[in-house]
Each structure stands twice: as structure tokens, then as C-alpha cells.
Amino acid sequence: MSKTVEIQIEKSSNLVDGLRKHLNANGKGVTSAEIAGMEQNVKELAAANEEVERLRAELVPKVKRMNEIMANVKAAYAEKKKMLKACYSQEQWANYGIPDKR
């Protein structure tokens, strides 16, 4: 759970609990329905945050794997490009998809 969301859930839950305990003494226009609505929103936030964390847990290894593949592709590209540049004249580089110009 992200720290910011976790803190907001905790603060909001504490407020809802406090409002419920002092609903009759409040007298400031906060209704039971408003408290129930806020409580529902806090529950929805907690559920959404759990889903995001689950998705993040799935995504992190996939991103790591993609970055490994990207590093392999970049290394192979650089190696082949260097080889082709050494073997062919600059005019022929474009034939091999090398856009470099000196």
C-alpha cells in the first residue's frame, strides 16, 4: 500500500469512528448518512488500493524482464552496427538501416 494512501485511509477511518461516537453530541450538521457515505468511500479507496498493489506486484517482474530484453537488444544492435560500419562504406550504411552520418 502506498504510504500516502495508507495514511489517508487511516486518518479518514479515525475521523469516521470519531464522528460516529459523537454523532448526537455533534450538533454541527453532520448526518449519519454523510458519515456512512464517507465510510463507504474509505472502503472503496482501500479496495482500489489493494487492487493497485496486486497489479503492481504482477507488473514489477514483467517490467524487469522487459528491461533485461531491452538491454540485450540494445547491445546486439550496437555490436552489429559497429561491425557493419567497419565492413562497409558510409554510403552503404543506409542499406542496413543505419542512419548515422559522420
Side-chain angles (χ1 to χ4, degrees):
M1 189 178 289
S2 79
K3 201 65 172 166
T4 305
V5 174
E6 184 178 303
I7 290 169
Q8 188 60 55
I9 289 171
E10 183 178 345
K11 287 177 8 181
S12 297
S13 294
N14 290 339
L15 178 62
V16 167
D17 291 342
L19 288 171
R20 277 209 194 284
K21 288 177 187 175
H22 303 290
L23 180 63
N24 295 333
N26 188 319
K28 298 289 184 199
V30 178
T31 66
S32 182
E34 291 172 329
I35 294 171
M38 185 175 177
E39 186 175 36
Q40 181 61 34
N41 285 337
V42 171
K43 287 179 183 178
E44 288 175 14
L45 177 60
N49 191 56
E50 287 177 21
E51 181 180 7
V52 166
E53 289 302 317
R54 181 184 53 77
L55 291 171
R56 189 174 287 138
E58 292 176 19
L59 183 61
V60 167
K62 291 179 181 186
V63 169
K64 183 179 178 184
R65 177 67 181 136
M66 182 197 67
N67 288 338
E68 291 170 357
I69 295 168
M70 176 69 141
N72 291 339
V73 168
K74 286 175 81 172
Y77 176 84
E79 179 185 332
K80 301 304 182 241
K81 181 174 143 181
K82 185 177 179 181
M83 181 191 71
L84 287 168
K85 282 181 149 187
C87 293
Y88 296 99
S89 67
Q90 182 178 358
E91 293 78 29
Q92 294 177 307
W93 293 353
N95 295 338
Y96 294 94
I98 300 173
D100 294 351
K101 297 179 181 171
R102 289 188 181 166

